[in-house]
Amino acid sequence: MTAKKTPVFVQRRTYRRRRVADGARLLPVFGGILFLIPLLWGGEAAGPEAAPDGGRTAWVMTYLFLVWFGLAVLSGVLARFLVAEDEGNEEEGES
């Protein structure tokens, strides 16, 4: 009784596509963590005695905008890569 052996490895294209799809699934989690980082930035003074300083707010808003922009670019790159892979698979199937 010999068990039929299946190949251990998958094709590179399939493996790469699965890893990119996994990255696309984890992107919202990664983005959520990045958006929460400013909460860890402690200020020197807190409460009513703190000086009304807009400097920290400006830095936080700049950080949030850059994170948002980076996530948008990264998701666009991942989506383009996944669509290109889908189109490549359809062309191979037609032959």
Side-chain angles (χ1 to χ4, degrees):
M1 288 200 179
T2 3
K4 187 176 179 181
K5 291 188 176 187
T6 58
V8 177
F9 299 105
V10 295
Q11 293 179 350
R12 271 188 192 196
R13 179 177 283 177
T14 305
Y15 178 78
R16 205 172 286 143
R17 177 166 168 55
R18 287 181 182 173
R19 296 298 74 85
V20 171
D22 290 343
R25 288 184 192 110
L26 285 176
L27 193 61
V29 174
F30 180 64
I33 291 170
L34 287 177
F35 277 125
L36 293 176
I37 286 177
L39 295 175
L40 299 175
W41 296 342
E44 292 89 31
E49 66 275 355
D53 184 18
R56 182 172 184 271
T57 303
W59 281 108
V60 169
M61 294 305 291
T62 303
Y63 170 81
L64 290 176
F65 175 75
L66 290 174
V67 167
W68 170 78
F69 184 75
L71 288 171
V73 168
L74 188 58
S75 65
V77 168
L78 289 175
R80 184 170 272 235
F81 184 79
L82 288 172
V83 168
E85 287 289 323
D86 284 341
E87 289 174 356
N89 290 339
E90 289 175 5
E91 291 173 3
E92 289 176 5
E94 291 174 359
S95 300

